[in-house]
Amino acid sequence: MRHVLGTVAAAATAAACLLTATAAPAVAQDRSDRPSAPAREKGLYAPTDLVLAMGRGADATTVAVERSVTLTCAPRPSGTHPDARAACAELRAADGRFGDLARPTTDAVCTKQWAPVTVFATGLWEGRRVDWSATFANGCTLNAVLAKSAALAF
């Protein structure tokens, strides 16, 4: 009886080893032959993700940022900008040219005080790199621009 149990145990062990030996390479082969995850398909729109910021100072690279917002225009307007929909519409109309939006109105009456305020935008506009800034003499001249620009009013 002992011999029979030993033979059954040996046969079971051999069968388990055989199953493991045949299954293990198949699993390993499946992993190695599996194609890598497909590259993410490009959407039907180019990315538009911007950070708009402002601070006191004359140079965008050294200004201490006082306020900033994010703006995403595609696939739909979003971000922390207070009026993302209007800002995106305005930027689309200007083809992403911030300089066209940063023109002060001629009817603004401001002092000639020099207390520079810089506004800048960085990121992507319809897939193109944006690195724009404009410095205004003071808060009054900046407000003259903000009064007519939804994109820069943040």
Side-chain angles (χ1 to χ4, degrees):
M1 180 80 168
R2 219 175 192 185
H3 179 55
V4 172
L5 287 176
T7 305
V8 170
T13 303
C17 289
L18 181 60
L19 286 173
T20 303
T22 57
V27 171
Q29 184 178 10
D30 284 346
R31 286 186 184 140
S32 63
D33 291 343
R34 186 178 305 152
S36 60
R40 215 174 199 194
E41 289 185 28
K42 291 183 179 180
L44 299 175
Y45 58 89
T48 296
D49 293 304
L50 299 162
V51 174
L52 308 172
M54 64 87 52
R56 302 211 182 272
D59 184 5
T61 60
T62 60
V63 70
V65 175
E66 293 179 4
R67 281 189 309 203
S68 68
V69 295
T70 59
L71 180 64
T72 299
C73 293
R76 64 191 176 295
S78 63
T80 60
H81 193 287
D83 194 354
R85 186 175 309 275
C88 290
E90 186 177 59
L91 281 167
R92 273 191 203 97
D95 194 30
R97 292 184 304 269
F98 283 87
D100 291 353
L101 306 177
R103 298 205 167 123
T105 59
T106 56
D107 59 347
V109 179
C110 296
T111 65
K112 295 196 183 252
Q113 173 189 9
W114 179 249
V117 181
T118 300
V119 178
F120 53 98
T122 187
L124 295 172
W125 171 259
E126 295 182 347
R128 296 181 312 239
R129 178 86 176 111
V130 172
D131 195 13
W132 170 86
S133 68
T135 300
F136 301 90
N138 53 49
C140 179
T141 57
L142 172 63
N143 288 333
V145 169
L146 299 184
K148 68 173 192 130
S149 174
L152 298 177
F154 56 89

